[in-house]
Amino acid sequence: DAKTTQPPSMDCAEGRAANLPCNHSTISGNEYVYWYRQIHSQGPQYIIHGLKNNETNEMASLIITEDRKSSTLILPHATLRDTAVYYCIVRVGDNDMRFGAGTRLTVKP
Amino acid sequence: GAVVSQHPSRVICKSGTSVKIECRSLDFQATTMFWYRQFPKQSLMLMATSNEGSKATYEQGVEKDKFLINHASLTLSTLTVTSAHPEDSSFYICSARRVSAETQYFGPGTRLLVL
């Protein structure tokens, strides 16, 4: 599976959109981009995933560039409860999920 | 979304004893379950992958005789830490993947403290 690169930390003001970037320049054609988050002392929570089209659900939007070498997770209206470590994972098919260091997002009042 | 539970949520044990952690998929059948370990301020590290009815596949550096994994049914996997030592103290997290699906769902984790 392709490696991902994320900034170690980001801040966001409460009520504003949080845009979390992820680089995956070696992604192959059949690899999906997954996003999970981990709130302190809890198990990771699935957020969203996509292959090449942009995706949206009740939690977030996922924007994947046309060349698929990077993506952005968007939390449209961040709340204090969105403070967590966000993991971008690239994976193909049935392969297991392997976590990098992630981005620690801090939402500030 | 799919729900995965773990029991116990936290456990304290004496060095040399064995501890069993259960992972259950509550509302779906999971052909594959995964066990991760997470040390403070670090990311999750995959320990092993288990498929229902077959032996687990362990990651390099994970002792299979120390971390016994059983996946006897489509809704239950257990991790037994045998002869636990203080360095085994960690946050253990399981995840499950339903039949014919790609997304993994994670349990809430079990915090193990070995004294």
Side-chain angles (χ1 to χ4, degrees):
Chain A
D1 296 332
K3 183 179 170 58
T4 62
T5 304
Q6 298 178 252
S9 64
M10 292 181 64
D11 291 342
C12 176
E14 187 179 20
R16 304 297 293 270
N19 298 285
L20 293 94
C22 179
N23 286 322
H24 29 80
S25 58
T26 60
I27 193 170
S28 61
N30 58 348
E31 288 184 306
Y32 285 78
V33 180
Y34 283 80
W35 283 84
Y36 284 80
R37 72 180 182 184
Q38 186 178 26
I39 296 170
H40 184 62
S41 295
Q42 298 182 25
Q45 177 188 22
Y46 166 77
I47 301 174
I48 200 167
H49 75 283
L51 184 61
K52 48 186 174 183
N53 297 323
N54 297 338
E55 302 288 343
T56 295
N57 62 21
E58 65 277 4
M59 288 184 69
S61 294
L62 173 61
I63 308 299
I64 303 173
T65 58
E66 194 168 339
D67 63 7
R68 302 208 326 120
K69 292 186 176 182
S70 67
S71 60
T72 301
L73 178 74
I74 301 173
L75 307 179
H77 305 287
T79 70
L80 298 179
R81 286 194 298 270
D82 292 322
T83 292
V85 178
Y86 287 76
Y87 296 99
C88 168
I89 300 167
V90 170
R91 192 194 73 166
V92 59
D94 293 344
N95 287 0
D96 40 66
M97 293 283 178
R98 293 179 186 266
F99 288 75
T103 295
R104 182 172 297 278
L105 174 69
T106 302
V107 181
K108 299 187 174 182
Chain B
V3 180
V4 177
S5 71
Q6 282 184 241
H7 177 79
S9 58
R10 58 176 60 229
V11 56
I12 301 173
C13 70
K14 293 182 178 180
S15 186
T17 60
S18 294
V19 175
K20 180 185 283 189
I21 302 169
E22 291 186 348
C23 175
R24 294 181 185 273
S25 55
L26 297 185
D27 53 358
F28 67 99
Q29 293 186 323
T31 49
T32 307
M33 288 184 167
F34 306 85
W35 287 95
Y36 294 79
R37 181 169 51 181
Q38 185 175 32
F39 292 108
K41 299 188 189 296
Q42 294 185 22
S43 188
L44 284 77
M45 295 294 294
L46 179 66
M47 299 175 67
T49 301
S50 73
N51 291 296
E52 185 261 340
S54 62
K55 289 185 178 180
T57 302
Y58 290 81
E59 293 298 301
Q60 192 171 9
V62 178
E63 301 174 56
K64 63 179 181 180
D65 293 332
K66 180 168 183 60
F67 299 99
L68 301 179
I69 292 172
N70 183 278
H71 190 170
S73 79
L74 285 173
T75 58
L76 173 64
S77 176
T78 60
L79 168 68
T80 301
V81 183
T82 62
S83 187
H85 291 284
E87 56 266 31
D88 298 324
S89 298
S90 188
F91 192 47
Y92 290 87
I93 307 168
C94 74
S95 71
R97 186 171 65 213
R98 68 171 87 217
V99 177
S100 301
E102 296 173 340
T103 302
Q104 282 178 225
Y105 296 94
F106 288 79
T110 296
R111 191 162 300 282
L112 170 64
L113 176 62
V114 184
L115 301 176

